[in-house]
Amino acid sequence: MSYQVTWADAKLNKNEQSKLNEDGLDIFRDLPELVKHPFAAIDKSYYMYFKFAGLTVQKPQEQGNFMMRVKIPDGIINVKQARHLAAIAAEYGHDQLDLTTRQAVQYHWIPFAKLPEVFAGINAVGLTTQGAEGDITRNVIDNPLSGIDPDELFDTRPTVRRVHRLFQGNRDYSNLPRKFKISINSNIYNAGNAEINDLAFVPATKKINGRTVKGFNVKVGGGLGMRPYLGLGLDIFVTRSQVAAVAEAAVQLYRDNGYRRSRSKARLKFLIQDWGVAEFETKLREKVPDLATAGDSAVVGWSNGTALGIHEQRQAGYYYVGVSIPAGRLQTADFSAFVDLAEKYGRDEIRFDHGQNLLIPYIAAADLPAVKAAPIFKKFSYQPHSLVDFGTTCTGAEYCNLAYTHTKEIFAPLLKRLDAQFSFEQPVHITLTGCGNGCAHRSVADIGIEGLTAKTKDGQRAEAFKIAVGGSLLAGGHFNEVLKGKLFTDQLYGALAALLADYQTQQLAAETYYAYFQRLGIAHFQAILDQYLAQAA
């Protein structure tokens, strides 16, 4: 550690007090000794350290099983790594793995006593869980099509990996107030979901010394959770060679100035709201002088970070296959079938997008018929056309300690039932999250469903939901707006069907759900829900 702690004398929450005595990355030093004892012998105050190893104690906590997340910068793995991920699911994870909204993979049921051998196997194939959770820089996300994308300014993979290496295992940045999320993307459709990250590099061009330079503009202070904020633009243009220095400076400012008294206000977004972007930019420029002013934005739309369907790559004669994974959950055999396809027809590569889906790139045109005929595509779709193809969901109450409601068990059946009734020219993005923390990106969905609890007619507490409509990251972003009224699980289908039926009948030609929401306004949607609730009463 080469920096000076400046907050030791401040009023700190319990986690911060602990981190002054032991760094989060010390979990890897402690673990061999810890597993010699029963899990019940570990004091709960130590649980937060597991997060720095990509682990969350899974409920019921007394059983000593973990949710484990593997960190995959830019969401790209090779076949050997994919086979090992499948083996983890088969041996430890009850035969299933979940894809995340940050291009990573996570498991449940990882047993405490087996953690050292699990980590050894992951490290042996060049992957890691270090920093997949905890108060640290998280997985650096990228355009899921980086390097093969006809709609990107340049290949961002080298930049993403440079930033990943800068922070990975670096104890100068392993004690942050909370998590710190970085997005680097040059796709013109905002494939990196810039506005919901702490720090985002977005595609831009700038005239410098008479020539047009392709690089990035910068946004800071985005984030979801209980109090979501959209990232705000700095008046800064960054070349590819400057990205790592700017990222380091931003993380330094957050480390040294972020709030450590209350974890509910510890994210960068709260510091940005208090300081303002001008002050943050001034302090950043003190650390990285001679940065140019912002360039011309190259962003023209928003892809929601998904890459579904079969499309041509920028490499002539090659295609990628983007596969919809409903609710982001895969069985070992199904994932292995995709790995087989990547090994036989691709170039030793599988990718993950931001919508809990997977991609197989570098399929030669001549091999497309054989790939399309693969038996796995009788179960999964490479032709996105339905609601379930564009939906995302969090882990939910099945395993998560924070969730109020179940999610994955109900989500895919719910959307498939709606798909049997509706068909839309424009995709409708529906998300389901089990609480207000926003892990499934509820706030930017066309229709976002959030879990809570409510009393039934007989006074019993039951799982319930609220609905929000009209989210988007177009033109800087707009968080969806919550409708009044609570719904029980058996009412979700009827309420969603009422909202979708109105869209089907009211939409203009080629009108997206967001444009339809903007045209009609929140009162229109509230009236639809009110009418449904009155009929259902």
Side-chain angles (χ1 to χ4, degrees), residues 133-148:
E133 295 191 75
D135 301 342
I136 200 165
T137 54
R138 297 293 185 85
N139 196 45
V140 183
I141 63 169
D142 195 357
N143 169 16
L145 299 174
S146 54
I148 65 173

PDB file of all heavy atoms in Angstrom, residues 133-148:
ATOM      1  N   GLU A 133     -16.839  -8.923  -6.126  1.00  0.00           N
ATOM      2  CA  GLU A 133     -17.728  -8.230  -5.199  1.00  0.00           C
ATOM      3  C   GLU A 133     -16.855  -7.417  -4.258  1.00  0.00           C
ATOM      4  O   GLU A 133     -15.637  -7.381  -4.380  1.00  0.00           O
ATOM      5  CB  GLU A 133     -18.592  -9.234  -4.433  1.00  0.00           C
ATOM      6  CG  GLU A 133     -19.563 -10.002  -5.294  1.00  0.00           C
ATOM      7  CD  GLU A 133     -20.560 -10.774  -4.468  1.00  0.00           C
ATOM      8  OE1 GLU A 133     -21.487 -10.134  -3.924  1.00  0.00           O
ATOM      9  OE2 GLU A 133     -20.394 -11.992  -4.343  1.00  0.00           O
ATOM     10  N   GLY A 134     -17.454  -6.762  -3.284  1.00  0.00           N
ATOM     11  CA  GLY A 134     -16.704  -6.034  -2.286  1.00  0.00           C
ATOM     12  C   GLY A 134     -16.503  -4.565  -2.614  1.00  0.00           C
ATOM     13  O   GLY A 134     -16.892  -4.070  -3.677  1.00  0.00           O
ATOM     14  N   ASP A 135     -15.850  -3.859  -1.693  1.00  0.00           N
ATOM     15  CA  ASP A 135     -15.604  -2.422  -1.816  1.00  0.00           C
ATOM     16  C   ASP A 135     -14.331  -2.207  -2.629  1.00  0.00           C
ATOM     17  O   ASP A 135     -13.264  -1.870  -2.095  1.00  0.00           O
ATOM     18  CB  ASP A 135     -15.469  -1.792  -0.432  1.00  0.00           C
ATOM     19  CG  ASP A 135     -16.706  -1.982   0.426  1.00  0.00           C
ATOM     20  OD1 ASP A 135     -17.770  -2.291  -0.130  1.00  0.00           O
ATOM     21  OD2 ASP A 135     -16.600  -1.814   1.663  1.00  0.00           O
ATOM     22  N   ILE A 136     -14.450  -2.343  -3.926  1.00  0.00           N
ATOM     23  CA  ILE A 136     -13.301  -2.467  -4.804  1.00  0.00           C
ATOM     24  C   ILE A 136     -13.765  -2.192  -6.234  1.00  0.00           C
ATOM     25  O   ILE A 136     -14.968  -2.137  -6.497  1.00  0.00           O
ATOM     26  CB  ILE A 136     -12.711  -3.896  -4.664  1.00  0.00           C
ATOM     27  CG1 ILE A 136     -11.261  -3.974  -5.136  1.00  0.00           C
ATOM     28  CG2 ILE A 136     -13.598  -4.942  -5.297  1.00  0.00           C
ATOM     29  CD1 ILE A 136     -10.543  -5.239  -4.688  1.00  0.00           C
ATOM     30  N   THR A 137     -12.837  -2.003  -7.156  1.00  0.00           N
ATOM     31  CA  THR A 137     -13.249  -1.874  -8.558  1.00  0.00           C
ATOM     32  C   THR A 137     -13.779  -3.219  -9.038  1.00  0.00           C
ATOM     33  O   THR A 137     -13.119  -4.251  -8.896  1.00  0.00           O
ATOM     34  CB  THR A 137     -12.068  -1.433  -9.433  1.00  0.00           C
ATOM     35  OG1 THR A 137     -10.969  -2.324  -9.237  1.00  0.00           O
ATOM     36  CG2 THR A 137     -11.644  -0.017  -9.098  1.00  0.00           C
ATOM     37  N   ARG A 138     -14.951  -3.214  -9.619  1.00  0.00           N
ATOM     38  CA  ARG A 138     -15.608  -4.443 -10.060  1.00  0.00           C
ATOM     39  C   ARG A 138     -15.205  -4.797 -11.496  1.00  0.00           C
ATOM     40  O   ARG A 138     -14.339  -4.145 -12.090  1.00  0.00           O
ATOM     41  CB  ARG A 138     -17.126  -4.275  -9.950  1.00  0.00           C
ATOM     42  CG  ARG A 138     -17.631  -4.056  -8.530  1.00  0.00           C
ATOM     43  CD  ARG A 138     -17.446  -5.272  -7.637  1.00  0.00           C
ATOM     44  NE  ARG A 138     -18.028  -5.088  -6.324  1.00  0.00           N
ATOM     45  CZ  ARG A 138     -19.299  -5.314  -6.010  1.00  0.00           C
ATOM     46  NH1 ARG A 138     -20.147  -5.705  -6.942  1.00  0.00           N
ATOM     47  NH2 ARG A 138     -19.728  -5.136  -4.771  1.00  0.00           N
ATOM     48  N   ASN A 139     -15.865  -5.797 -12.049  1.00  0.00           N
ATOM     49  CA  ASN A 139     -15.564  -6.240 -13.408  1.00  0.00           C
ATOM     50  C   ASN A 139     -15.683  -5.065 -14.389  1.00  0.00           C
ATOM     51  O   ASN A 139     -16.715  -4.406 -14.452  1.00  0.00           O
ATOM     52  CB  ASN A 139     -16.523  -7.358 -13.812  1.00  0.00           C
ATOM     53  CG  ASN A 139     -16.056  -8.134 -15.010  1.00  0.00           C
ATOM     54  OD1 ASN A 139     -14.884  -8.500 -15.091  1.00  0.00           O
ATOM     55  ND2 ASN A 139     -16.943  -8.406 -15.949  1.00  0.00           N
ATOM     56  N   VAL A 140     -14.615  -4.798 -15.141  1.00  0.00           N
ATOM     57  CA  VAL A 140     -14.641  -3.726 -16.138  1.00  0.00           C
ATOM     58  C   VAL A 140     -15.414  -4.220 -17.350  1.00  0.00           C
ATOM     59  O   VAL A 140     -15.035  -5.225 -17.971  1.00  0.00           O
ATOM     60  CB  VAL A 140     -13.216  -3.302 -16.543  1.00  0.00           C
ATOM     61  CG1 VAL A 140     -13.272  -2.125 -17.520  1.00  0.00           C
ATOM     62  CG2 VAL A 140     -12.392  -2.930 -15.315  1.00  0.00           C
ATOM     63  N   ILE A 141     -16.501  -3.527 -17.683  1.00  0.00           N
ATOM     64  CA  ILE A 141     -17.346  -3.998 -18.779  1.00  0.00           C
ATOM     65  C   ILE A 141     -16.994  -3.298 -20.084  1.00  0.00           C
ATOM     66  O   ILE A 141     -16.391  -2.231 -20.108  1.00  0.00           O
ATOM     67  CB  ILE A 141     -18.847  -3.845 -18.458  1.00  0.00           C
ATOM     68  CG1 ILE A 141     -19.230  -2.372 -18.280  1.00  0.00           C
ATOM     69  CG2 ILE A 141     -19.219  -4.678 -17.251  1.00  0.00           C
ATOM     70  CD1 ILE A 141     -20.733  -2.144 -18.217  1.00  0.00           C
ATOM     71  N   ASP A 142     -17.426  -3.919 -21.171  1.00  0.00           N
ATOM     72  CA  ASP A 142     -17.040  -3.528 -22.519  1.00  0.00           C
ATOM     73  C   ASP A 142     -18.250  -3.704 -23.419  1.00  0.00           C
ATOM     74  O   ASP A 142     -19.286  -4.261 -23.020  1.00  0.00           O
ATOM     75  CB  ASP A 142     -15.890  -4.454 -22.963  1.00  0.00           C
ATOM     76  CG  ASP A 142     -15.137  -3.966 -24.185  1.00  0.00           C
ATOM     77  OD1 ASP A 142     -15.517  -2.936 -24.762  1.00  0.00           O
ATOM     78  OD2 ASP A 142     -14.158  -4.624 -24.567  1.00  0.00           O
ATOM     79  N   ASN A 143     -18.128  -3.244 -24.637  1.00  0.00           N
ATOM     80  CA  ASN A 143     -19.049  -3.619 -25.694  1.00  0.00           C
ATOM     81  C   ASN A 143     -18.934  -5.126 -25.893  1.00  0.00           C
ATOM     82  O   ASN A 143     -17.846  -5.644 -26.134  1.00  0.00           O
ATOM     83  CB  ASN A 143     -18.639  -2.866 -26.968  1.00  0.00           C
ATOM     84  CG  ASN A 143     -19.341  -3.343 -28.217  1.00  0.00           C
ATOM     85  OD1 ASN A 143     -20.356  -4.034 -28.150  1.00  0.00           O
ATOM     86  ND2 ASN A 143     -18.798  -2.993 -29.367  1.00  0.00           N
ATOM     87  N   PRO A 144     -20.030  -5.886 -25.789  1.00  0.00           N
ATOM     88  CA  PRO A 144     -19.927  -7.335 -25.957  1.00  0.00           C
ATOM     89  C   PRO A 144     -19.424  -7.762 -27.333  1.00  0.00           C
ATOM     90  O   PRO A 144     -19.010  -8.910 -27.510  1.00  0.00           O
ATOM     91  CB  PRO A 144     -21.351  -7.842 -25.705  1.00  0.00           C
ATOM     92  CG  PRO A 144     -22.229  -6.648 -25.808  1.00  0.00           C
ATOM     93  CD  PRO A 144     -21.396  -5.467 -25.434  1.00  0.00           C
ATOM     94  N   LEU A 145     -19.432  -6.843 -28.291  1.00  0.00           N
ATOM     95  CA  LEU A 145     -18.947  -7.147 -29.644  1.00  0.00           C
ATOM     96  C   LEU A 145     -17.599  -6.487 -29.936  1.00  0.00           C
ATOM     97  O   LEU A 145     -17.200  -6.386 -31.098  1.00  0.00           O
ATOM     98  CB  LEU A 145     -19.970  -6.683 -30.684  1.00  0.00           C
ATOM     99  CG  LEU A 145     -21.354  -7.324 -30.613  1.00  0.00           C
ATOM    100  CD1 LEU A 145     -22.296  -6.662 -31.607  1.00  0.00           C
ATOM    101  CD2 LEU A 145     -21.280  -8.821 -30.881  1.00  0.00           C
ATOM    102  N   SER A 146     -16.891  -6.063 -28.916  1.00  0.00           N
ATOM    103  CA  SER A 146     -15.635  -5.345 -29.153  1.00  0.00           C
ATOM    104  C   SER A 146     -14.696  -6.175 -30.027  1.00  0.00           C
ATOM    105  O   SER A 146     -14.505  -7.369 -29.828  1.00  0.00           O
ATOM    106  CB  SER A 146     -14.952  -5.009 -27.829  1.00  0.00           C
ATOM    107  OG  SER A 146     -14.777  -6.175 -27.040  1.00  0.00           O
ATOM    108  N   GLY A 147     -14.141  -5.521 -31.025  1.00  0.00           N
ATOM    109  CA  GLY A 147     -13.219  -6.180 -31.942  1.00  0.00           C
ATOM    110  C   GLY A 147     -13.860  -6.815 -33.147  1.00  0.00           C
ATOM    111  O   GLY A 147     -13.182  -7.113 -34.135  1.00  0.00           O
ATOM    112  N   ILE A 148     -15.163  -7.040 -33.097  1.00  0.00           N
ATOM    113  CA  ILE A 148     -15.861  -7.659 -34.231  1.00  0.00           C
ATOM    114  C   ILE A 148     -17.050  -6.821 -34.690  1.00  0.00           C
ATOM    115  O   ILE A 148     -17.805  -7.228 -35.570  1.00  0.00           O
ATOM    116  CB  ILE A 148     -16.341  -9.093 -33.895  1.00  0.00           C
ATOM    117  CG1 ILE A 148     -17.414  -9.071 -32.786  1.00  0.00           C
ATOM    118  CG2 ILE A 148     -15.167  -9.974 -33.479  1.00  0.00           C
ATOM    119  CD1 ILE A 148     -18.061 -10.436 -32.524  1.00  0.00           C
TER     120      ILE A 148
END
